[in-house]
Amino acid sequence: MLRLIINENMKIYRRFRTWILLILLVVISVGASVAYKIETQHSTIGWRSETRAAIQTYENRLKDTSINEMLRREAQNKLSVLQIYKAL
């Protein structure tokens, strides 16, 4: 039985298509890892400035007297959450 499994594995790995697929799998895995690493580095660099800009936007929205009460409460809630993030 073991000899049969060894023989079938040899047939599989002798094919050119199998090696292409294995190389493609490795390239995709490495590429996804590199892309994730690059994306996380870029997103952590500017989060403070993005938070400051969002806080400024919500403060300006709260200064506007023409918005209704529901939008005002939403802006206050988001502003309080962003200020907590800014404190980190």
Side-chain angles (χ1 to χ4, degrees):
M1 182 72 171
L2 183 63
R3 190 73 187 147
L4 179 65
I5 294 172
I6 292 171
N7 189 26
E8 292 300 321
N9 272 334
M10 285 175 51
K11 285 181 189 177
I12 289 172
Y13 292 117
R14 214 179 278 159
R15 291 182 175 170
F16 185 67
R17 286 179 282 177
T18 302
W19 289 105
I20 297 271
L21 181 63
L22 289 174
I23 291 170
L24 189 64
L25 245 148
V26 169
V27 167
I28 289 173
S29 297
V30 170
S33 298
V34 168
Y36 176 75
K37 185 71 172 175
I38 290 171
E39 180 62 31
T40 56
Q41 285 177 349
H42 288 299
S43 65
T44 57
I45 291 172
W47 72 271
R48 290 188 192 271
S49 60
E50 290 175 10
T51 304
R52 276 189 229 114
I55 287 173
Q56 187 65 38
T57 301
Y58 286 118
E59 285 175 346
N60 290 340
R61 191 175 291 173
L62 286 173
K63 290 177 186 175
D64 186 12
T65 57
S66 65
I67 63 172
N68 64 12
E69 186 60 33
M70 186 177 85
L71 291 176
R72 183 174 299 281
R73 270 188 270 130
E74 179 185 354
Q76 286 173 341
N77 289 339
K78 288 186 179 184
L79 184 62
S80 63
V81 169
L82 287 172
Q83 286 172 342
I84 291 171
Y85 286 148
K86 182 182 172 188
L88 298 177

